[in-house]
Each structure stands twice: as C-alpha cells, then as structure tokens.
Amino acid sequence: EEPSRLLLEIDATHLADLLRLAAQYEVPARQIGWTTGGEFRVHFEGRIILEEDVKVLRDAWAESLSRRMRGEA
C-alpha cells in the first residue's frame, strides 16, 4: 500500500461502525472484500477480481521477503 492508504481487517459486525467513523472524519473508506470459509474475495464494479484461499495468500505474504532475499521471484 502507498503511505497514505491502509488495508484493515475487521469483524463484519464492526463494519458499519468503522464506515460511520471514517465518514465522520472525512476519511474515504469502503469494503473491498471479505473472508468466508477460508476464501478471500475482492469485488469491483460488480465482478469478482480476486478469489483465493486465505492460506495460499497468507503463505505468499509470510514467505515473500525470505524468497526475495534468496533471489527467488
């Protein structure tokens, strides 16, 4: 993410409160996806643009720096 952007993960029961708080402080915010049953999906303009198993994404994230340091892509 760029320095001026954040990606948050919250419980769905708190989404409305978070969006309301963001609007109160004029901070642009929106839901871009959710996890269900171990899957992560991102919707954009009514289409799913990313759909992946959470474990696959977590493993890719957790190992990315060590792979880069070893010279792997």
Side-chain angles (χ1 to χ4, degrees):
E1 293 84 23
E2 296 177 11
S4 61
R5 294 186 182 170
L6 294 172
L7 178 63
L8 299 175
E9 177 184 355
I10 63 165
D11 189 281
T13 60
H14 300 294
L15 179 60
D17 292 333
L18 175 68
L19 294 176
R20 190 172 22 263
L21 187 61
Q24 177 183 339
Y25 289 96
E26 300 179 3
V27 174
R30 66 177 183 223
Q31 179 182 6
I32 63 167
W34 59 87
T35 58
T36 57
E39 293 181 346
F40 180 76
R41 291 186 191 119
V42 176
H43 293 248
F44 181 71
E45 296 183 352
R47 296 179 338 159
I48 297 173
I49 60 170
L50 173 65
E51 184 172 21
E52 187 58 77
D53 183 273
V54 171
K55 184 179 178 338
V56 171
L57 295 173
R58 189 227 172 268
D59 291 348
W61 169 81
E63 296 296 322
S64 62
L65 182 58
S66 60
R67 281 194 311 271
R68 180 65 75 177
M69 297 297 286
R70 292 189 305 263
E72 301 171 9

